[in-house]
Amino acid sequence: MKLSKIKVNRISILLVLTVVLWVKTLCTYFLEFNLGLNDAIQYFIAVFNPFGPIILILSLSLYFIRKKVFLVVLTILYFTESLLLYSNVLYYREFSNFLSASTIFGAKGVMKGLGNSILTTMLPHDFIYLIDILLVMGLFIYMGPRLELKAIRLINAVACTMVGIMLTIFNLSIAEMNRPQLLGRTFDQTYTVKYLGLNFFLTNDIISQANEQAVKSTVSNNEISVPLQYVTDNYATPNKQYYGVAHKKNVIVIHLESFQQFLINMKVNGQEVTPFLNSLYGNKNTVSFDNFFHEVGQGKTSDAETMLESGLFGLPTGSFFTKMGPTNTFQSAPAILGQTQGYTSAVFHGNVGSFYSRDSVYKNMGYNYFFDQQYFDVGPDTNVGFGLKDKLFFAESTKYLEKLQQPFYAKFITLTNHYSFDLPEMDNDGFVKPATTSKVVNNYFETAHYLDASLREFFDYLRASGLYDKSMIILYGDHYGISDDKIAALAPLMNKEQADWNEFDTAQMQRVPFMIHMKGIKGKVDNTYGGEIDVLPTLLHLLGINNQKYLQFGSDLFSKDHDKTVIFRNGNFINKNYTSLKNSKGSYNVYDNTTGQLINLSADPELNEKITKIATKKQQIMTMSDDINSKNLLRFYTPTGFKPVDPSDYEYTDEVSKLDKTDDDLGASSTSLYSQNNSESTVGLYKTDAPEYNK
């Protein structure tokens, strides 16, 4: 048979190229990317997810009748897919992240994203990502004139496209079953790629970026005037007793993952769940707030960070960190402390840096350093759930902490006490879990106990190294640990019958710890009602920094002007007297906090009017915060003396060298603990009973 008469089916060619792209994609998943695949379902989803989008994209070539045009379009589509795949490989090797729409279509394009070291990131085995492109292009150029490629019927082209769409929808369905609210909460770029693939991730990111830019492009600079006026009118004057008491002290913020207030001073099977935190609570050097509430929405941990760092609420849906954080303007704690009092800032986190887009958001906030999972000794036995075990996390952080220039602002994000609260038997120190009907609830107390023990070890190090006397330590719970569907199992431990548990009880459970510990502070258990939105104004005043010129919606917890009504992200609110919860009719069910009984508002018009006014005011605050975030309004307002953060000034690729270089450059004027200890490490002072360290 002559070559010029070879008959080939167009769909057959398309399917062959689909398989080749699928194999290449799997190579990147398992050889290049750290997707964190944890179980058989996740492996299946990762293997399956490239199929639908690849078929969908390549099927577009089938709509072109002329053979030459079909081959050209198919080649272009195949080349584009391959180029996108390999570009992600190179980008990931340097930044441990995936190419986003903003990186690709940004003013300085992909080349800036890939940096100046593209050639150095290439590896010998990269030919597997490139050789097929040359083969396909060469084959089409050489064999094209000899191939008999009859155009297929339109209905067959549509059918092929529909197969791609259906496979993509099926993939999305099983991904949603394994990880609910995957797109709604937009946890992390890695999660989207793991469950839905690179094509879906980029498409979704382009749509999100387009929607965001469409909103921002219609904004005028006078829209910032309303929230600015609100902040001016509601400024809370500092309490003279506490204002500036921590001036120039190191600030150590410990983010207690999923930790609720009821754990404090609680006993299970005769054992204290958190003996160390109990010793801090009510300590003469600790101010503890027992009516402090989390105010997070779907963004959960990232919402807590948003409030802590910026004094703004999270979004109504999804995570502000991932949706808008990478591109928005901030007036956040790291930049404020750095510019006003010369603080060095750092975050320590035992998970991948891309989770919740932290590696981008922290740059916009002005964090000098970010020590994520790549800076810790991570292995099969050291990780549990979402990252490094807390005891190992704190122990390994010391080698970086001791080299930070003082004063520093350092945040530690713990992970072990994270859903589903699994802890290896080797890490149990003899704590006997409760025996409720829920494994999750039982495990929650065990992981909280483990977190508590890790805090004790860290505090022991701070004392031994001398950092304790120079630091103010803030501990706070980021959000609930026990969700509503597990409350029935928890109720007996709270001395409550399951049948009697109601929405009022659930609202009270949203308390989380907030403790300020510092040698010399006048300790007490403060009954003031407050929430996470109030942390930043309180912190700034303790350091002697007036927050009046910054746009923050919380207020100093110590101030007599503090707003003692706490609003939740869903519109519910609570204060000393009442708990107000939205009902299905759009009005509020109001409970008396003393009795826990539902109040008949129709019989008390005055109270009804009061509740309505509070609800209206609080909703206005939420709306203003959402406008600032969604429209990036802070770009239109720069406080006097504040310099807007330029994220290009920050890079988190070689933190160890940055620390060492700073120490060397400063020489005798270095203020790091390491330098002040005659360049001798204090890591040896850290004592832990972690089995990994004591084999």
Side-chain angles (χ1 to χ4, degrees), residues 121-152:
T121 61
M122 291 181 173
L123 298 175
H125 71 258
D126 286 358
F127 75 90
I128 64 176
Y129 305 121
L130 302 172
I131 192 170
D132 61 300
I133 301 176
L134 300 177
L135 290 175
V136 169
M137 293 177 67
L139 185 63
F140 284 173
I141 292 172
Y142 177 73
M143 296 290 293
R146 299 172 176 83
L147 297 178
E148 185 177 326
L149 291 168
K150 291 184 178 180
I152 64 173

Side-chain angles (χ1 to χ4, degrees), residues 198-261:
L198 283 168
N199 284 303
F200 195 103
F201 158 70
L202 183 58
T203 301
N204 184 65
D205 191 54
I206 289 173
I207 293 172
S208 298
Q209 290 287 331
N211 290 336
E212 181 184 338
Q213 292 305 318
V215 171
K216 292 179 180 178
S217 64
T218 62
V219 178
S220 62
N221 57 9
N222 61 2
E223 291 189 47
I224 195 69
S225 60
V226 174
L228 277 175
Q229 189 60 52
Y230 171 84
V231 169
T232 300
D233 295 342
N234 292 272
Y235 173 65
T237 306
N239 183 325
K240 293 182 180 179
Q241 182 180 0
Y242 288 96
Y243 187 77
V245 296
H247 180 66
K248 287 297 184 76
K249 288 271 190 179
N250 296 320
V251 178
I252 299 174
V253 177
I254 302 178
H255 177 113
L256 305 175
E257 174 63 42
S258 305
F259 200 99
Q260 292 177 248
Q261 175 70 18

Side-chain angles (χ1 to χ4, degrees), residues 303-323:
D303 279 3
E305 288 193 77
T306 298
M307 288 181 277
L308 171 77
E309 304 288 14
S310 69
L312 301 175
F313 290 96
L315 298 176
T317 58
S319 163
F320 167 69
F321 260 41
T322 53
K323 283 188 174 182

Side-chain angles (χ1 to χ4, degrees), residues 442-453:
N442 299 340
N443 289 350
Y444 180 64
F445 290 92
E446 181 182 34
T447 53
H449 182 75
Y450 176 89
L451 169 57
D452 182 78

Side-chain angles (χ1 to χ4, degrees), residues 84 88 91 97-114 189 201-210 212-213 216 321-328 357 359-361 363-364 647:
L84 175 64
N88 270 285
Y91 190 81
N97 212 334
F98 303 99
L99 283 169
S100 64
S102 59
T103 303
I104 294 175
F105 301 115
K108 297 184 180 179
V110 182
M111 298 305 293
K112 182 180 186 300
L114 291 176
Q189 293 182 348
F201 158 70
L202 183 58
T203 301
N204 184 65
D205 191 54
I206 289 173
I207 293 172
S208 298
Q209 290 287 331
E212 181 184 338
Q213 292 305 318
K216 292 179 180 178
F321 260 41
T322 53
K323 283 188 174 182
M324 297 158 188
T327 57
N328 269 29
S357 299
D359 52 356
S360 297
V361 179
K363 293 176 184 177
N364 285 345

Side-chain angles (χ1 to χ4, degrees), residues 106 293 509 549 620:
F293 294 81
M509 292 287 287
K549 64 182 179 180
Q620 288 173 342

Side-chain angles (χ1 to χ4, degrees), residues 258-300:
S258 305
F259 200 99
Q260 292 177 248
Q261 175 70 18
F262 71 81
L263 291 167
I264 303 296
N265 288 328
M266 187 177 187
K267 288 187 176 183
V268 171
N269 296 320
Q271 316 151 103
E272 287 184 284
V273 179
T274 58
F276 177 70
L277 284 173
N278 295 348
S279 71
L280 292 184
Y281 191 76
N283 182 285
K284 67 177 182 179
N285 292 317
T286 307
V287 179
S288 303
F289 292 85
D290 61 354
N291 289 309
F292 184 84
F293 294 81
H294 78 79
E295 298 171 277
V296 307
Q298 288 182 338
K300 297 186 78 174

Side-chain angles (χ1 to χ4, degrees), residues 19 31 52 86 136 145 167 172 271 286 304 314 339 481 511 537 540 595 608 651:
V19 171
L31 296 178
Y86 187 53
V136 169
L167 290 175
L172 181 59
Q271 316 151 103
T286 307
Q339 293 183 28
R511 287 178 172 83
L540 293 180
T595 65
N608 189 21
E651 193 53 72

